Amino acid sequence: MDTATEPRWRAPRLWRFLQVVARALVAVVARLRVTGDVPEQLRDGPLILAANHISPFDPVVLTAACQVRRIAPRIMATGGLFRTPVVGTVMRRSGHIRVDRRTAEVGESLHTATSAVTDGSVVLLYPEGRMGLDPGMWPERGKTGAARLAFASGCVVVPVAQWGAHEVLPYGTPKGLLRAVGRALVRRPVIRVHFGEPVDLGGLDPTVPGAARRATDRIIDALTATLVPLRPDEPDGPRYRDPTRPTETTRAHRRTPPPG
């Protein structure tokens, strides 16, 4: 595709406005600390941002953090959000990408995301494919969607680690919502977001069986490494325990050594 002649996607004004709103909302209930960055030439895309998922408050936090770094990503989000009357309209008008998990149409989201990236967009996704249930709240074994998107588009993947959102909204939201928000208003926990170094996917041939799995493991490894400095005093588990969060070890990620 000749990006010199094709018009690049530009974030709608509605989405830019909502990013400012998200930043103000986070400031009310928490103290946001954003570190790291992405190269200036990639802030408008093409770029893939791969984030960990620990709380229903994550989308607001990541929206605010991206606004700090002057990035307006198109977010890959569950189809349920698009089916709600008001939120669905906002999601569509903001240019976000619908993912209908466990349906025959789920593959269509990858084609849409690939087109979005090749058209010059920044696409933000959760490579774990769900809110993580690891007992220590470390990234789980990922789904291969992020890797397949990287292979299809040839685009750079940047890990975005975040920590602290679980202290604002519980896993079981709306259960315990008012109590959690009241607690956050008083305590204003620190939420940290760090944009890491691009993931090294070199040496992987997309045509070789298992390449997407190996690329996914590298993405989760990079995301885990990016998260480590954000929780130095909580290596084994979070200090704040969310009573509504179940735990599961069936998708525990076994970290692999870096290539070379």
Side-chain angles (χ1 to χ4, degrees):
M1 175 178 169
D2 185 358
T3 56
T5 58
E6 292 287 339
R8 292 170 63 88
W9 184 84
R10 289 290 180 263
R13 290 182 180 179
L14 172 63
W15 180 224
R16 294 283 189 181
F17 170 73
L18 290 176
Q19 285 194 281
V20 175
V21 172
R23 189 170 175 183
L25 179 59
V26 173
V28 171
V29 295
R31 291 164 286 168
L32 181 63
R33 304 288 185 265
V34 181
T35 54
D37 207 343
V38 298
E40 185 173 357
Q41 66 271 21
L42 294 178
R43 286 181 192 151
D44 292 327
L47 178 67
I48 300 168
L49 299 177
N52 59 320
H53 197 2
I54 60 174
S55 164
F57 198 53
D58 290 352
V60 181
V61 168
L62 292 169
T63 296
C66 285
Q67 200 276 336
V68 172
R69 287 294 178 260
R70 305 184 302 285
I71 302 169
R74 302 175 70 176
I75 300 173
M76 297 187 72
T78 180
L81 290 175
F82 289 81
R83 289 189 290 271
T84 56
V86 176
V87 174
T89 300
V90 171
M91 295 290 286
R92 285 187 291 272
R93 290 185 177 178
S94 297
H96 301 311
I97 300 168
R98 177 173 177 161
V99 182
D100 289 304
R101 298 187 180 96
R102 295 183 290 276
T103 70
E105 291 76 30
V106 68
E108 185 61 31
S109 61
L110 180 62
H111 296 303
T112 303
T114 301
S115 296
V117 173
T118 55
D119 284 346
S121 298
V122 178
V123 170
L124 186 151
L125 50 73
Y126 297 109
E128 297 166 273
R130 68 174 186 180
M131 205 179 307
L133 300 180
D134 178 80
M137 293 184 66
W138 290 100
E140 296 181 320
R141 185 173 69 251
K143 300 291 186 179
T144 59
R148 289 185 289 131
L149 177 58
F151 284 156
S153 64
C155 191
V156 172
V157 180
V158 168
V160 185
Q162 52 97 18
W163 186 247
H166 60 292
E167 296 192 45
V168 176
L169 287 187
Y171 175 93
T173 298
K175 180 181 179 181
L177 174 62
L178 294 179
R179 181 178 180 181
V181 171
R183 180 177 181 272
L185 285 169
V186 173
R187 294 186 64 254
R188 297 188 68 247
V190 174
I191 296 179
R192 295 180 172 87
V193 179
H194 184 74
F195 292 81
E197 296 297 320
V199 182
D200 180 9
L201 297 180
L204 295 175
D205 182 349
T207 65
V208 174
R213 180 74 262 160
R214 288 188 286 275
T216 300
D217 288 343
R218 289 193 192 180
I219 292 170
I220 298 296
D221 283 346
L223 188 51
T224 302
T226 305
L227 178 60
V228 168
L230 304 188
R231 45 181 294 185
D233 302 324
E234 304 172 78
D236 300 319
R239 283 191 300 268
Y240 173 72
R241 297 284 179 173
D242 177 359
T244 72
R245 176 187 292 277
T247 59
E248 184 180 304
T249 58
T250 57
R251 284 180 53 184
H253 173 69
R254 181 175 297 176
R255 192 174 181 191
T256 55

